[in-house]
Amino acid sequence: MSPGERHAKVYQINYLRCIFCGLCVEACPTRALTMTNEYEIADDKREKLIWEKEDLLAPLRNGMLMPPHPMYPGSDHHNYYRGEIKESHPSQEVNK
Ligand code: SF4
């Protein structure tokens, strides 16, 4: 850990306030966050729309890399945001 590096004490997303803008995905330095196709989230209890870390974790699927990992060669964060990166490149597989 480098001096000055900060880590959140609490990991949660409040879906009562989230507008699905994707800025958190864009800002994540390790590409650990991603958008999904789930956007119709509703519940009868407000508390259930505040997702804790355990609710947000998803297993790695085949072809996914354990973050942090370098970006796909020749790509930038826009390619990740638009979901254009579909597979890993051999040069990224530093943590496999
Ligand atoms: S998508 Fe991320 S940055 Fe945007 S409102 Fe939701 S949690 Fe906040």
Side-chain angles (χ1 to χ4, degrees):
M1 194 179 323
S2 63
E5 197 164 327
R6 295 177 296 171
H7 296 269
K9 276 188 181 172
V10 177
Y11 293 90
Q12 62 178 208
I13 292 183
N14 183 340
Y15 282 109
L16 298 166
R17 295 187 173 191
C18 178
I19 58 170
F20 299 93
C21 67
L23 289 177
C24 53
V25 174
E26 217 173 302
C28 181
T30 62
R31 285 167 294 291
L33 299 174
T34 187
M35 299 298 275
T36 72
N37 292 328
E38 292 178 44
Y39 56 88
E40 293 183 286
I41 299 172
D43 214 306
D44 57 353
K45 298 259 189 267
R46 294 177 64 83
E47 312 82 65
K48 290 182 183 173
L49 293 172
I50 300 173
W51 290 24
E52 303 289 341
K53 182 178 178 181
E54 295 72 31
D55 306 314
L56 297 165
L57 292 173
L60 291 178
R61 296 187 193 136
N62 280 344
M64 290 180 157
L65 296 173
M66 178 70 76
H69 58 76
M71 283 188 160
Y72 194 94
S75 70
D76 63 20
H77 64 277
H78 293 111
N79 302 111
Y80 280 88
Y81 180 74
R82 291 191 290 253
E84 296 168 352
I85 307 299
K86 305 283 187 206
E87 59 188 26
S88 62
H89 186 272
S91 66
Q92 293 178 287
E93 297 177 13
V94 292
N95 292 327
K96 251 190 173 175

